[in-house]
Amino acid sequence: MEFAAILLIAVAVIAVVTLAKAVRIVPQQRQDVVERLGRYKRTLNPGLNLLVPYVDSVRTKVDMREQVVSFPPQPVITSDNLVVSIDTVLYYKVVDSVRATYEISNFIQAIEQLTVTTLRNVIGSLDLERALTSREEINRHLSGVLDETTGRWGIKVTRVEIKAIEPPPSIRDSMEKQMRAERDRRAAILNAEGLKQSQILTAEGEKQAAVLRADGDRQARILQAEGQAKAIRTVFDAIHQANPSQKVLAYQYLQALPQIANGSANKVWIVPAELTKALEGMGGALGGLANMVGDVPSPEVSQGAGDVEREAAEAAQAAASAAQEIHDEVRVAEAQTTGGNVPQQSLPAPEPVSPESLVNDPSDQRERG
């Protein structure tokens, strides 16, 4: 009985092991390579598969998904004899599990060595600056070479990426100094261009301001001249409408004489001896001109004739006093120029003139003359 029980147990175990060897469940995105008596028999696809127990065996389990492998940094010498360290990342996919199993023993190691040698060939033909700026070109070249070589192994290289290119520390310092100098140069150029534009805009603004100021001065002078012209025209019209007499004109001239004598630019003022005769002649000339143009005082002006004659008399007295003072100053100046001796032929003293004689009618003056 005990022997029968042991035998039954042994048969059960054998049956279970046989069933386990005969049934193979393959998950998705995986293929199993089956050998029969050491020789390739078939490839198991995902799902339930039956094998011949103790005859068929699974050689490898191949993952058909895309794989990513990162290779350690590799020292590479550039064309300008600089050693740089390059990290690479490889993306590949097994497209034929049989060739990946039987064509090469370790395709990961083979891809790594192939990547290193290809990378050295590519970087060796480039200088450091071009190697740093030509990553896309390097990636395309590596991907083309690896895909062509690994195709017979049943491997598809989908992408090769360079993670980093590390130059030596001394080269990094030099590159940083170069970039700093380049940035300083660009900053100086930008500052100079900004200063140039600022000066140009300032000059343009000053130019426009000067033009506007000049135009404003011109307009102001034009308006001032027009105003003066209108003022002169208004005074001229007022004089003609008022129709002043010759006595009023003589009175105006006598009022202007002290202002002429007090001018700061009049260093020497020559006064004729016959000042009264000159005034009489001028008054006569003005009177004759008034008679020619019909200068007859209007009735309104005649009402204030007494006041005008009185003011004219006072102005005549002031003019006579001013003329006497100027005559005395001329004699003193002549004495200083001749050394204190008054010359015999000097200017005669002006005859005393009464104020009434300056405001009387010029015809009476000529009869007394």
Side-chain angles (χ1 to χ4, degrees):
M1 292 294 294
E2 294 180 357
F3 178 75
I6 295 174
L7 182 61
L8 183 60
I9 293 173
V11 171
V13 170
I14 293 172
V16 171
V17 172
T18 303
L19 181 62
K21 288 181 175 292
V23 177
R24 176 70 61 177
I25 299 175
V26 179
Q28 186 67 30
Q29 295 296 329
R30 198 185 80 180
Q31 290 182 353
D32 294 349
V33 177
V34 178
E35 294 180 350
R36 177 171 293 181
L37 301 177
R39 185 177 181 179
Y40 170 74
K41 178 60 178 177
R42 63 192 179 100
T43 302
L44 301 181
N45 293 321
L48 180 62
N49 296 275
L50 299 176
L51 300 177
V52 177
Y54 308 107
V55 177
D56 296 339
S57 63
V58 176
R59 168 69 184 272
T60 56
K61 300 176 181 179
V62 181
D63 193 345
M64 305 301 293
R65 295 174 296 179
E66 186 173 3
Q67 303 292 325
V68 181
V69 57
S70 177
F71 299 138
Q74 300 293 328
V76 181
I77 300 176
T78 61
S79 62
D80 49 358
N81 297 324
L82 293 176
V83 179
V84 295
S85 179
I86 300 179
D87 296 345
T88 55
V89 177
L90 179 67
Y91 297 82
Y92 71 94
K93 181 179 181 180
V94 178
V95 294
D96 191 342
S97 59
V98 177
R99 285 190 294 174
T101 303
Y102 294 103
E103 295 292 335
I104 190 169
S105 61
N106 190 345
F107 60 86
I108 297 295
Q109 184 179 3
I111 292 175
E112 178 182 358
Q113 297 300 322
L114 182 61
T115 302
V116 171
T117 55
T118 306
L119 189 62
R120 288 178 178 176
N121 291 332
V122 174
I123 298 298
S125 61
L126 303 175
D127 56 5
L128 178 61
E129 184 175 359
R130 188 179 176 186
L132 293 174
T133 57
S134 303
R135 293 194 178 188
E136 292 295 333
E137 181 180 354
I138 297 172
N139 293 337
R140 287 196 302 271
H141 189 78
L142 283 174
S143 179
V145 172
L146 291 176
D147 188 38
E148 181 182 359
T149 305
T150 59
R152 64 177 182 269
W153 300 339
I155 308 296
K156 173 65 176 178
V157 176
T158 58
R159 189 177 183 85
V160 180
E161 291 289 341
I162 295 178
K163 291 196 299 184
I165 300 177
E166 297 292 338
S170 59
I171 301 300
R172 288 201 299 269
D173 295 339
S174 300
M175 293 172 63
E176 290 178 359
K177 292 179 180 179
Q178 180 182 0
M179 294 303 298
R180 190 180 301 111
E182 181 67 20
R183 292 189 180 94
D184 293 340
R185 183 182 67 84
R186 293 178 181 177
I189 292 175
L190 292 177
N191 290 333
E193 290 180 354
L195 181 61
K196 175 183 176 182
Q197 293 294 331
S198 175
Q199 292 179 351
I200 290 174
L201 294 177
T202 302
E204 289 290 339
E206 292 177 354
K207 175 184 175 182
Q208 294 180 3
V211 170
L212 293 177
R213 283 195 296 268
D215 186 59
D217 293 340
R218 182 178 65 85
Q219 294 292 337
R221 292 181 181 180
I222 291 174
L223 294 176
Q224 185 178 4
E226 291 178 355
Q228 291 178 356
K230 291 181 179 179
I232 293 172
R233 189 179 301 110
T234 302
V235 172
F236 182 77
D237 294 340
I239 291 174
H240 279 276
Q241 290 176 3
N243 197 11
S245 64
Q246 59 180 347
K247 293 181 180 181
V248 177
L249 295 176
Y251 170 65
Q252 294 292 332
Y253 179 74
L254 291 175
Q255 283 184 336
L257 280 178
Q259 297 179 1
I260 296 174
N262 292 330
S264 60
N266 296 329
K267 302 301 181 182
V268 178
W269 209 66
I270 301 175
V271 181
E274 301 296 329
L275 177 60
T276 58
K277 294 182 178 180
L279 293 175
E280 293 173 2
M282 184 175 295
L286 294 174
L289 181 60
N291 292 329
M292 291 176 63
V293 297
D295 186 12
V296 179
S298 60
E300 292 79 2
V301 178
S302 299
Q303 294 177 2
D307 296 336
V308 173
E309 290 180 357
R310 184 169 54 256
E311 293 179 0
E314 294 176 359
Q317 183 64 33
S321 300
Q324 183 63 36
E325 292 178 0
I326 293 171
H327 180 72
D328 294 340
E329 292 178 359
V330 171
R331 290 182 62 85
V332 172
E334 290 179 352
Q336 291 178 357
T337 55
T338 56
N341 296 324
V342 179
Q344 298 296 328
Q345 298 179 355
S346 59
L347 293 174
E351 297 179 358
V353 181
S354 62
E356 291 79 2
S357 62
L358 295 175
V359 298
N360 290 333
D361 188 71
S363 60
D364 297 339
Q365 297 292 335
R366 285 194 296 272
E367 290 176 359
R368 283 198 301 270

